[in-house]
Amino acid sequence: MLPYKTIQEASAVLGRNLSTAETIWFNYSANKSDYFLYCHNIVFLFVVFSLIPLPLVFIELARLAGFDRYKIQPKVRLSWPEMFRCYKDVVCNNFLPIIVPLQLASYPSIKMIGIRTGLPLPSGWEMFAQLLVYFLIEDYTNYWIHRFLHNKWGYEKIHRVHHEYTAPIGYAAPYAHWAEVLALGIPSFLGPAMVPGHMITFWLWICLRNIESIETHSGYDFPWNPTKYIPFYGGAEYHDYHHYVGGQSQSNFASVFTYCDYIYGTDKGYRYQKKIFQKLKGELKGNGEQNGVSYRFPTQDLKSD
């Protein structure tokens, strides 16, 4: 709740007129508690998870001409009942019993680290810099937790649930064992804890991180995707290989970027199969055959020492 009763009072404290965005924020948040504002995350998470995958669900079910070439594993297709069952399982097994209570109970930690709701609002550059830090911190810590979950105990007891989808779809992004949901929530919180910002930045971080996760589990690799212009970004094809190899995978552990896998040598299997696929693709073109083959074909995932 803002400590100002009127816009004029807020302007007097700031020593300037409020910007359009600050005026909108004042009118919306002035009489709302910080706890209520924080709980918006529950709505944002549900809306993002429910709506963002829908366009690709439509493409998958309608079998739209021209889109098959962008499907990473074209031979694997799920029906609408199978997709809806994945959606329902996430909502009933993860979102309602785990994520919602965790959001409701974690507000004291948000206050403790210094997430603010007041004025002034952060600049665009400030938000961009903080979001970049959040993504880098999340990616690095997620890498090591994910890599741990691929040891024999971690995979058999916990992580195998997420790998039930060897050809992932957007709704399978948060499909996981409850312990994994809790463990991988830590990297998402570390960035805001280390570099606390405004509540709006925190909202945007939660939304973007989940959109990114849905995109990398989408099962489609579109050449016009703007994420292809982000340096070291993994993307759908990169993570799809990890799901295809499954429990034996020792490749592509990173959640967002590729630098950790490169530095620690855990992208060898992926780079090996990409090299073979490019050779196979060239041979098919040379023979005048249809270029409709997926990158997915039997190759041995290379384990790093």
Side-chain angles (χ1 to χ4, degrees):
M1 185 176 296
L2 298 182
Y4 319 113
K5 294 183 178 181
T6 65
I7 291 179
Q8 291 73 22
E9 183 181 347
S11 298
V13 172
L14 294 179
R16 58 172 175 80
N17 292 329
L18 271 61
S19 67
T20 301
E22 288 172 334
T23 301
I24 294 172
W25 178 250
F26 180 92
N27 290 331
Y28 180 74
S29 65
N31 297 318
K32 295 179 175 65
S33 70
D34 291 354
Y35 179 69
F36 179 80
L37 293 173
Y38 172 65
C39 288
H40 282 43
N41 273 325
I42 297 173
V43 177
F44 295 148
L45 283 169
F46 182 75
V47 170
V48 166
F49 173 66
S50 298
L51 298 185
I52 294 298
L54 283 181
L56 289 180
V57 169
F58 175 75
I59 291 172
E60 181 91 356
L61 297 177
R63 303 292 293 269
L64 296 179
F67 281 91
D68 279 354
R69 73 180 68 180
Y70 305 122
K71 185 166 174 59
I72 302 168
Q73 298 188 43
K75 294 183 179 180
V76 182
R77 292 188 177 274
L78 298 181
S79 64
W80 168 244
E82 290 173 316
M83 292 183 184
F84 184 73
R85 183 169 62 248
C86 177
Y87 173 82
K88 184 182 68 174
D89 286 345
V90 170
V91 172
C92 296
N93 298 335
N94 288 349
F95 185 77
L96 293 177
I98 301 174
I99 296 175
V100 171
L102 190 62
Q103 287 285 317
L104 293 174
S106 59
Y107 174 71
S109 63
I110 294 298
K111 291 297 290 184
M112 181 181 67
I113 65 176
I115 300 293
R116 64 184 183 89
T117 60
L119 297 174
L121 293 183
S123 67
W125 282 111
E126 180 183 343
M127 294 175 68
F128 174 80
Q130 289 176 333
L131 289 170
L132 178 61
V133 171
Y134 296 171
F135 270 109
L136 290 172
I137 292 174
E138 193 281 338
D139 185 69
Y140 187 80
T141 51
N142 185 295
Y143 171 88
W144 288 106
I145 295 175
H146 189 185
R147 188 170 175 177
F148 168 78
L149 290 174
H150 271 267
N151 66 36
K152 182 177 177 60
W153 180 89
Y155 188 85
E156 291 181 355
K157 299 295 184 182
I158 299 174
H159 195 49
R160 64 175 178 79
V161 175
H162 184 64
H163 276 272
E164 289 177 11
Y165 289 88
T166 56
I169 59 174
Y171 284 132
Y175 181 86
H177 190 281
W178 65 266
E180 182 171 347
V181 174
L182 292 176
L184 293 183
I186 297 173
S188 296
F189 182 74
L190 276 180
M194 296 173 66
V195 187
H198 198 275
M199 184 66 74
I200 293 177
T201 308
F202 189 71
W203 288 349
L204 189 58
W205 158 240
I206 295 299
C207 290
L208 289 177
R209 177 63 186 95
N210 282 273
I211 291 171
E212 182 277 328
S213 182
I214 290 170
E215 190 270 328
T216 56
H217 287 84
S218 67
Y220 284 84
D221 185 37
F222 297 115
W224 58 78
N225 193 324
T227 58
K228 289 188 175 293
Y229 297 98
I230 301 175
F232 308 109
Y233 186 80
E237 185 190 55
Y238 189 81
H239 191 68
D240 199 280
Y241 174 75
H242 177 82
H243 274 263
Y244 166 56
V245 179
Q248 299 177 358
S249 178
Q250 294 298 318
S251 282
N252 302 18
F253 293 116
S255 60
V256 183
F257 303 108
T258 61
Y259 68 92
C260 280
D261 284 305
Y262 181 79
I263 292 172
Y264 299 112
T266 50
D267 62 350
K268 293 179 181 178
Y270 174 72
R271 287 189 285 123
Y272 176 74
Q273 66 84 24
K274 283 284 287 185
K275 183 177 180 181
I276 292 179
F277 173 62
Q278 293 300 326
K279 181 179 179 181
L280 175 62
K281 188 176 179 181
E283 291 175 354
L284 290 174
K285 277 190 174 181
N287 293 333
E289 299 179 30
Q290 282 285 8
N291 184 19
V293 62
S294 165
Y295 90 83
R296 176 181 171 177
F297 56 92
T299 58
Q300 183 176 2
D301 189 35
L302 300 183
K303 295 185 177 182
S304 59
D305 295 328

